[in-house]
Amino acid sequence: MRPLPRLLLAAVALSAACAKADTGELGHSDPRRPIVAAAGTEFQLVLKSNPSTGYAWILADSLPPGVLALVGSRYEPDRRSAGRDGGGGRERWTFRALGPGEAAIPLVYARPWERNDPADSARFQVTVR
């Protein structure tokens, strides 16, 4: 490969990495893609959310003991909607991989006080090695 195309390719890859880092989207957001984590590490799930609607992501079932543990979750407003009523953002859920095994993380997007079907759901498959 000639120097100019290599340099151009490197610049494109770097700008894509920086753009992704700037959005705060680092983490797993596609439940169709399996997650592989090493025991003792943490990983994050990032899901679109808008708490002004009353909806929030909720862990729908317990996690298998000894495989995964929930560290915590927090809401992050989008930069464009920060400080604006009704603006959306994302919820960032952090999990710790405890030991080898397979696990599912079932989440539902619902209003906690309603008994209706959830507005959305996601099920992440995790392998801990």
Side-chain angles (χ1 to χ4, degrees):
M1 189 182 274
R2 295 186 335 239
L4 185 57
R6 269 192 235 159
L7 183 60
L8 182 58
L9 183 59
V12 169
L14 181 60
S15 67
C18 290
K20 187 168 186 169
D22 286 344
T23 65
E25 291 290 342
L26 296 177
H28 303 278
S29 59
D30 185 353
R32 296 171 298 186
R33 298 189 65 185
I35 300 167
V36 178
T41 63
E42 292 184 354
F43 63 91
Q44 295 183 339
L45 305 181
V46 181
L47 301 156
K48 289 186 178 193
S49 181
N50 188 341
S52 69
T53 63
Y55 286 93
W57 286 99
I58 302 164
L59 192 58
D61 203 358
S62 59
L63 300 171
V67 179
L68 291 177
L70 174 63
V71 174
S73 66
R74 70 178 189 274
Y75 173 74
E76 299 172 341
D78 287 334
R79 287 184 190 177
R80 291 176 289 171
S81 62
R84 297 171 65 191
D85 291 341
R90 64 194 152 273
E91 286 185 48
R92 185 175 297 273
W93 288 65
T94 304
F95 294 87
R96 176 171 285 283
L98 301 174
E102 301 281 326
I105 302 173
L107 297 162
V108 294
Y109 192 59
R111 291 178 171 143
W113 64 87
E114 291 184 342
R115 298 291 173 227
N116 302 335
D117 289 337
D120 199 358
S121 64
R123 184 177 186 87
F124 291 85
Q125 290 300 130
V126 181
T127 300
V128 178
R129 296 188 176 158

